[in-house]
Amino acid sequence: MGWSLAAACALLVGCGVVYWWIEPRTPTFVDGLWLAFVTASTIGYGDVVPTTHASRIFSVFVVLLGFAVLANHFERSNLPEKIAQVLPPGQ
């Protein structure tokens, strides 16, 4: 679990660097990291949005990456088995 969290954080930092580089509305690395986090988590506050074609295309990649990280977490957490233990048989 530790290595997957480290990999997810590294990917998020990498996406923040790319946003900082390709998006003119993210003048600092922190702004790029914020946009990467908000996009990967699909929250989308709207305070910073991708404005160039390159950053919009990259946002699709970041959203899919966020879904992949979330799916990996749920797969490793044995969620279906935990739900089956809580629900009564036959449901």
Side-chain angles (χ1 to χ4, degrees), residues 52-76:
T52 64
H53 292 298
S55 62
R56 289 178 182 171
I57 292 169
F58 184 67
S59 293
V60 172
F61 168 74
V62 173
V63 166
L64 293 175
L65 187 65
F67 283 147
V69 168
L70 190 62
N72 182 36
H73 171 72
F74 282 127
E75 179 184 343
R76 293 180 175 276

Side-chain angles (χ1 to χ4, degrees), residues 6-89:
C9 289
L11 285 170
L12 192 63
V13 169
C15 290
V17 169
V18 173
Y19 274 127
W20 180 33
W21 181 54
I22 65 174
E23 176 54 49
R25 296 185 76 190
T26 55
T28 66
F29 169 68
V30 173
D31 290 333
L33 189 60
W34 174 252
L35 184 55
F37 175 77
V38 169
T39 303
S41 63
T42 67
I43 293 173
Y45 288 119
D47 54 346
V48 180
V49 295
T51 57
T52 64
H53 292 298
S55 62
R56 289 178 182 171
I57 292 169
F58 184 67
S59 293
V60 172
F61 168 74
V62 173
V63 166
L64 293 175
L65 187 65
F67 283 147
V69 168
L70 190 62
N72 182 36
H73 171 72
F74 282 127
E75 179 184 343
R76 293 180 175 276
S77 69
N78 299 324
L79 188 62
E81 290 86 6
K82 291 177 182 177
I83 292 173
Q85 291 172 355
V86 174
L87 291 178

